[in-house]
Amino acid sequence: QVTLVESGGGLVQPGGSLRLVCAASGDTLSINTMAWYRRTPGRQRELVALITHDYTTGIGHSVTGRCTISRDTDKTKVYLQMTNLKPEDTAVYYCNADTWRSGDYWGQGTQVTVSS
């Protein structure tokens, strides 16, 4: 099993920056891809960014050019650096880990609010 804990959310003004952190514990050696998703009320869950076991990254269309994803070499932490934040980035951000041994895991989420 893998446990994921997100942190770093909060209130930020439009144009500001934020770094989200996802800390993984448990069977971290079985983690393949880690990703950040977000969800706003009334909308489907949206992929923000992902990073594979070999550090290949993918960024969602709505945040291209404004987000960077990275991870520690021991796979215990994943970071999402967001810049030039917009009100439409307001959402609950969730960390996801895909493992080869026991499937998908999700964190509890961290709220990001972009507002002046």
Side-chain angles (χ1 to χ4, degrees):
Q1 261 195 311
V2 173
T3 301
L4 304 172
V5 178
E6 302 97 335
S7 62
L11 175 64
V12 62
Q13 291 189 340
S17 300
L18 212 57
R19 189 179 79 155
L20 303 183
V21 182
C22 173
S25 60
D27 188 18
T28 58
L29 291 180
S30 73
I31 295 175
N32 291 321
T33 298
M34 296 190 75
W36 286 94
Y37 288 80
R38 66 186 183 186
R39 175 172 275 165
T40 55
R43 296 185 64 179
Q44 285 189 329
R45 186 176 58 202
E46 176 188 9
L47 174 66
V48 180
L50 62 84
I51 185 165
T52 66
H53 66 283
D54 61 354
Y55 301 95
T56 300
T57 62
I59 305 295
H61 292 303
S62 60
V63 296
T64 298
R66 301 189 295 118
C67 272
T68 303
I69 188 170
S70 59
R71 69 192 293 182
D72 288 350
T73 54
D74 61 2
K75 300 182 184 179
T76 61
K77 284 193 173 64
V78 174
Y79 308 93
L80 183 70
Q81 180 71 45
M82 299 187 291
T83 61
N84 191 23
L85 283 161
K86 304 174 181 180
E88 51 264 42
D89 294 318
T90 296
V92 179
Y93 285 71
Y94 296 91
C95 181
N96 170 268
D98 168 65
T99 71
W100 59 263
R101 202 194 311 272
S102 55
D104 264 346
Y105 292 89
W106 294 90
Q108 294 290 333
T110 185
Q111 176 72 46
V112 172
T113 302
V114 183
S115 174
S116 54

